[in-house]
């Protein structure tokens, strides 16, 4: 069996004999590519976060393609919105699609306007600073950034405004 | 006196009696009673189901059943859905169509699943069967809109064209326009798999408006929202409808037009599609919700609050397909609102992300098991599970017939105890005595297979992945599961001993597929030799299995019973006994 192990083409980690741990990285072409025998531009994606096992989780190619299509749709035109801060002389524009989530967005805003945002909690909003990020939604209401799931937020956000001072402190404090 | 009874009934009478017997199983039993019943039955059998297109040859089917009107064929094994069967493996329908074109001029129904269908096959169908009525191509591939155009142009009495989840190449032909203006017979049309370029919207509208019997319409993604309302107004008699894109911001005129159109559809019972739906448009369907029995939201990025609102309007729901965005809270709402629920499928919105992006755990499924006494069929993707939850579910739902659980990360243990899920799945098979389909996941030892072998006496299909410790696991299943027809296994340490010990069992099953297990080439050869009525296929894209060191394990193994003998359309990466294997058998 020695010879077999040494020469056998395995894609598991060296030293792991347990078949259970055999995880095959994605084949060189995208899974969807291979299965359909045609190269579809839609199948080009960013590299996966970790090595994917072929055929796992067991989701049909048809459904996987739809998930992929959705992700690619969101890779289409950006969602550009204006961002303003109280006291700043002019507005800025950002593309919400480039951010992976709230922490990412808030970090970018902090850098852009040179300020520090407080710590977010559902109960108390942004505690610990004079600033609160808010946004205007599709209904025209001004909402605190962070309450909605990210995907929902980026589709409903029309513009951002970073509120400052007493107005900001009032927001989210049990009102 | 009893002996003569069989001969005292005339052929016509027997034939008439047999016409009430529809199921294949019953028909097969009838034909085994005696020679004369066999003869009468074979002449009057109208419907054939072939679960594995390589188990029998078209000529053999035609020889025995000369007057068939309806045929259903399945090609690739189920694992092909997950890219575990390489492209080009087989499942070609052309040889069947070619034979049937000559033998069955009155064939009017063809249903195919996981087969390779070419434009040539479709053109042959269009040409050969004068009264063709039903074409269902489920998860098929290999054809283009050219083939569809041929069907549309020639099949004057076509009632059903269903392309569910098939791969269709766009040849840029406006195939829908090939239905002549005189064509009015469509009852069921499913083109949801087609891409945006493949459907001419005006042709679709004209077709819908002249088909008064249209009951089921499943459109593709690219049909815009305002057009949906038009279609619905042309076909208010629809029972099943799959919507199209819902994107774009809410416009009140579009919304009220859509809501009005839906409110006309008094017969609507099943809705699906909802790609890119914007939650603001969902209330447009509220008028039909109380009558809905089936809802497929599994392509819709709607989140829990909107899902809860929607579900609370659907008290008659029997079938729900949804993404994990529904979360535990949504499933709790489902459990309290939908007491008639029979089938639930929850799919992962982001299956490849390590972190869960929705708060969906085992709690949601437990809630449904408690609240929905009629629950029979479950497909559930989640990231954590406990034995306690599985036991509870088993006790709450003893009527489960299908239970497929996918814990996304392989080898995940019970999050409460750190133990394998042997006890949990054991409870499922013990309590659910009518279970016919089971898919396992998570950390599992040989013990779970012992339970399955002991209790799952009605189990017909079992799917196993990353489970078990030794051959004993496989042996328990093969020796214990009396009703087993299909077994698919991947990445388990099951090998030669269990297979060879239970060789005879394999002839009582439709098929066994093993991928990345521990079966040696020697065992495959031996099995081939021992069991001439099994086709043993070694599928290996890495190269000839013989070129590997002896006793190396094969990549994939597909074993199926067949009376047709070996097939002749194998690609280079499939080896069976009639190839080099047989020559190398003797030293």
């Amino acid at each position: 069996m020695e010879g077999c192990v040494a020469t056998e083409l395995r894609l598991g980690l060296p030293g792991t004999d347990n078949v259970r741990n055999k995880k095959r990285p994605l084949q060189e072409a995208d899974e969807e590519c291979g299965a359909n025998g045609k190269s579809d531009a839609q199948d080009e994606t960013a590299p996966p976060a970790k090595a994917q096992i072929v055929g796992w989780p067991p989701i049909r190619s048809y459904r996987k393609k739809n998930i992929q299509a959705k992700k690619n749709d969101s890779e289409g035109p950006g969602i550009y919105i204006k961002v303003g801060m109280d006291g700043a002389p002019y507005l800025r524009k950002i593309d919400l699609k480039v951010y992976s989530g709230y922490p990412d967005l808030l970090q970018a805003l902090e850098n852009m306007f040179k300020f520090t945002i407080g710590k977010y909690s559902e109960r108390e909003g942004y505690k610990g600073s004079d600033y609160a990020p808010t946004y205007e939604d599709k209904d025209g209401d001004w909402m605190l950034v962070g309450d909605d799931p990210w995907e929902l937020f980026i589709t409903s956000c029309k513009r951002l405004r970073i509120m400052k001072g007493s107005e900001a402190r009032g927001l989210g404090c049990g009102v | 006196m009893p002996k003569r009874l069989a001969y005292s009934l005339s052929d016509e009478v027997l034939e008439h009696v047999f016409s009430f017997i529809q199921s294949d199983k019953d028909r097969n039993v009838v034909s085994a009673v005696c020679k004369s019943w066999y003869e009468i039955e074979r002449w009057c059998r109208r419907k054939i189901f072939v679960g594995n297109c390589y188990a029998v040859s078209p000529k053999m089917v035609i020889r025995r059943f000369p007057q068939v009107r309806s045929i259903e064929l399945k090609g690739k094994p189920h694992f092909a859905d997950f890219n575990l069967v390489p492209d080009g493996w087989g499942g070609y329908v052309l040889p069947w169509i070619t034979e049937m074109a000559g033998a069955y001029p009155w064939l009017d129904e063809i249903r195919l699943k996981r087969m390779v269908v070419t434009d040539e096959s479709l053109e042959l169908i269009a040409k050969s069967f004068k009264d063709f009525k039903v074409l269902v191509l489920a998860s098929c591939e290999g054809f283009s809109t050219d083939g569809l155009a041929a069907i549309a142009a020639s099949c004057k009495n076509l009632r059903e064209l269903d392309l569910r989840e098939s791969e269709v190449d766009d040849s840029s032909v406006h195939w829908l326009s090939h239905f002549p203006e005189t064509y009015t017979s469509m009852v069921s049309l499913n083109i949801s798999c087609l891409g945006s370029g493949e459907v001419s919207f005006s042709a679709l509208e004209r077709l819908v408006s002249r088909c008064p019997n249209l009951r089921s319409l499943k459109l593709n993604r690219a049909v815009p929202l305002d057009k949906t309302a038009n279609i619905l107004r042309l076909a208010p008699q629809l029972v099943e409808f799959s919507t199209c894109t819902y994107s774009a911001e809410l416009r009140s005129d579009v919304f009220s037009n859509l809501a009005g159109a839906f409110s006309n559809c008094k017969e609507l019972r099943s809705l699906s599609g909802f790609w890119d739906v914007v939650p603001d448009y969902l209330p447009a369907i509220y008028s039909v919700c109380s009558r809905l029995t089936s809802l497929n939201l599994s392509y819709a990025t709607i989140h829990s609050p909107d899902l809860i609102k929607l579900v609370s309007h659907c008290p008659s729901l029997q079938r729900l397909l949804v993404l994990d965005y529904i979360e535990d809270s949504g499933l709790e709402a489902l459990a309290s609102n939908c007491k008639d629920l029979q089938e639930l499928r929850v799919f992962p919105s982001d299956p490849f992300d390590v972190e869960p992006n929705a708060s969906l755990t085992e709690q949601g499924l437990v809630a449904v098991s408690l609240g929905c006494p009629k629950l029979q069929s479950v497909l559930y993707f989640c990231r954590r599970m406990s034995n306690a939850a599985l036991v509870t579910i088993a006790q709450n739902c003893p009527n489960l017939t299908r239970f497929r659980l996918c814990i996304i990360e392989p080898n995940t243990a019970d999050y409460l105890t750190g133990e394998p899920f042997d006890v949990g799945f054991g409870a499922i098979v013990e309590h659910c005595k009518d279970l016919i389909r089971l898919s396992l996941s998570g950390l599992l030892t040989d013990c779970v297979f012992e339970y399955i072998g002991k209790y799952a006496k009605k189990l017909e299909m079992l799917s196993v992945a990353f489970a078990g410790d030794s051959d004993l696991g496989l042996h328990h299943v093969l020796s214990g599961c009396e009703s087993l027809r299909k077994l698919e296994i991947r990445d388990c340490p099951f090998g030669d001993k269990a297979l060879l010990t239970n060789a005879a069992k394999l002839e009582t099953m439709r098929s066994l597929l093993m991928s990345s297990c521990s079966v040696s080439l020697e065992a495959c050869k031996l099995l081939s030799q021992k069991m001439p009525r099994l086709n043993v296929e070694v599928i290996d894209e890495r190269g000839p299995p013989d070129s590997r060191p002896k006793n190396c394990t094969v990549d994939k193994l597909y074993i199926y019973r067949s009376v047709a003998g070996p097939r002749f359309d194998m690609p280079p990466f499939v080896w069976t006994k009639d190839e080099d294997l047989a020559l190398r058998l003797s030293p």
Side-chain angles (χ1 to χ4, degrees), chain B residues 389-453:
Chain B
L390 283 173
V391 172
T392 305
I393 291 163
Q395 288 168 341
N396 288 339
C397 297
N399 296 323
L400 278 177
T401 54
R402 292 165 175 83
F403 189 72
R404 291 190 279 166
L405 179 68
C406 179
I407 304 167
I408 290 176
E409 185 65 28
N411 299 318
T412 306
D414 178 331
Y415 81 98
L416 292 172
T417 64
E419 306 222 315
F421 289 105
D422 302 336
V423 165
F425 281 108
I428 295 278
V429 292
E430 187 182 352
H431 290 270
C432 306
K433 301 203 189 306
D434 293 325
L435 199 69
I436 58 174
R437 186 166 181 185
L438 178 65
S439 295
L440 307 171
S441 60
L443 183 64
L444 294 162
T445 73
D446 283 345
C447 277
V448 72
F449 300 108
E450 198 176 345
Y451 291 135
I452 292 173

Side-chain angles (χ1 to χ4, degrees), chain B residues 231-384:
Chain B
I231 292 271
L232 281 175
R233 288 190 193 279
L234 289 171
Q237 76 281 10
L238 284 178
V239 175
E240 278 191 332
F241 184 59
S242 179
T243 69
C244 9
T245 14
Y246 261 79
S247 59
E249 297 178 2
L250 182 67
R251 280 172 44 201
S252 57
D253 54 335
V254 174
F255 178 89
S256 40
N257 191 15
L258 194 64
F262 269 110
S263 65
N264 283 340
C265 298
K266 309 289 185 208
E267 309 299 320
L268 206 53
R269 295 291 176 272
S270 167
L271 276 180
S272 53
F274 294 100
W275 293 288
D276 304 328
V277 61
V278 162
D280 294 330
Y281 276 110
L282 282 176
I285 68 167
Y286 282 177
S287 59
V288 299
C289 280
S290 62
R291 292 183 292 267
L292 281 184
T293 56
S294 170
L295 195 51
N296 183 352
L297 297 165
S298 63
Y299 295 102
T301 329
I302 317 174
H303 292 266
S304 192
D306 295 303
L307 282 169
I308 292 175
K309 265 194 238 142
L310 183 55
V311 146
S312 65
H313 280 84
C314 305
S316 313
L317 211 55
Q318 292 172 13
R319 185 168 184 260
L320 177 66
L321 281 67
V322 73
L323 289 173
D324 56 9
Y325 290 133
I326 193 169
E327 301 192 335
D328 290 339
S329 53
L331 290 176
E332 278 151 28
L334 182 69
S336 48
N337 280 309
C338 304
K339 295 305 184 186
D340 284 340
L341 195 72
Q342 292 173 19
E343 180 177 351
L344 174 68
R345 298 194 190 196
V346 180
F347 296 96
S349 49
D350 203 345
F352 305 112
D353 208 339
V354 183
E355 292 307 312
N357 67 329
S359 176
L360 180 96
T361 68
E362 82 285 2
Q363 293 305 319
L365 187 55
V366 171
V368 175
S369 77
L370 199 55
C372 304
K374 299 186 186 170
L375 193 65
Q376 276 183 2
S377 173
V378 170
L379 170 59
Y380 201 75
F381 284 81
C382 59
R383 285 181 164 87
R384 80 170 200 206

Side-chain angles (χ1 to χ4, degrees), chain B residues 145-146 169-174 197-198:
Chain B
T145 44
D146 279 344
D169 291 329
D170 186 5
S171 72
S172 302
V173 156
H174 289 294
E198 293 160 5

Side-chain angles (χ1 to χ4, degrees), chain A residues 58-120:
Chain A
I59 295 171
R60 287 173 158 187
S61 317
Y62 181 78
R63 184 170 291 281
K64 264 200 292 230
K65 275 215 302 276
N66 274 284
I67 295 175
Q68 212 44 64
K70 259 195 230 292
K71 288 205 167 139
N72 292 338
D73 280 352
S74 67
E75 267 146 41
I79 303 177
Y80 284 91
I81 54 144
K82 296 179 190 172
V83 191
M85 176 150 116
D86 291 346
Y90 48 79
L91 301 172
R92 301 296 307 272
K93 249 231 181 122
I94 58 171
D95 176 6
L96 285 179
K97 278 202 165 148
V98 313
Y99 305 105
S100 57
Y102 287 119
D104 206 7
L105 169 66
L106 295 172
Q107 178 87 63
L109 291 176
E110 286 180 329
N111 292 340
M112 196 180 263
F113 292 97
K114 307 281 182 283
F115 72 109
T116 323
I117 257 165
K119 195 156 163 50
Y120 173 77

